[in-house]
Amino acid sequence: MADTIKIAIGGPKTGPVTHYGDLQFIGAKQAIRDINAKGGIDGKMLEAKECHDAADPKQAVAGRQQDRQR
C-alpha cells in the first residue's frame, strides 16, 4: 500500500493564458501543503505532479494517459 496519494494538477504553462495556469498551480500546491501539514488523508501524504495541458482538453487527456503508462 502506497504511503502517498499522487495528484495531477493540469493547467497551461505557456501561451496567452499562462497566468491562469500559474494561479491553478499555486492554489493547488498550497492546498496540498495545508492538507499534508495536518497529517494528510488517512495518514497518507499528498504528492503533486504538474502537467502542462496548454488549455486544450485533448492535450490534457493525452497527458494524463501518458502519465498512467509510466
Side-chain angles (χ1 to χ4, degrees), residues 8-64:
I9 307 168
K13 291 188 170 200
T14 60
V17 292
T18 302
H19 58 284
Y20 294 119
D22 292 342
L23 294 172
Q24 288 171 214
F25 294 123
I26 290 167
K29 289 189 289 185
Q30 183 60 54
I32 288 170
R33 282 192 294 271
D34 292 347
I35 292 167
N36 285 343
K38 293 180 180 181
I41 297 175
D42 291 333
K44 296 180 181 182
M45 297 294 110
L46 301 181
E47 181 181 318
K49 169 148 171 75
E50 291 185 14
C51 303
H52 173 50
D53 67 11
D56 176 3
K58 290 179 184 175
Q59 188 168 334
V61 170
R64 295 321 161 283

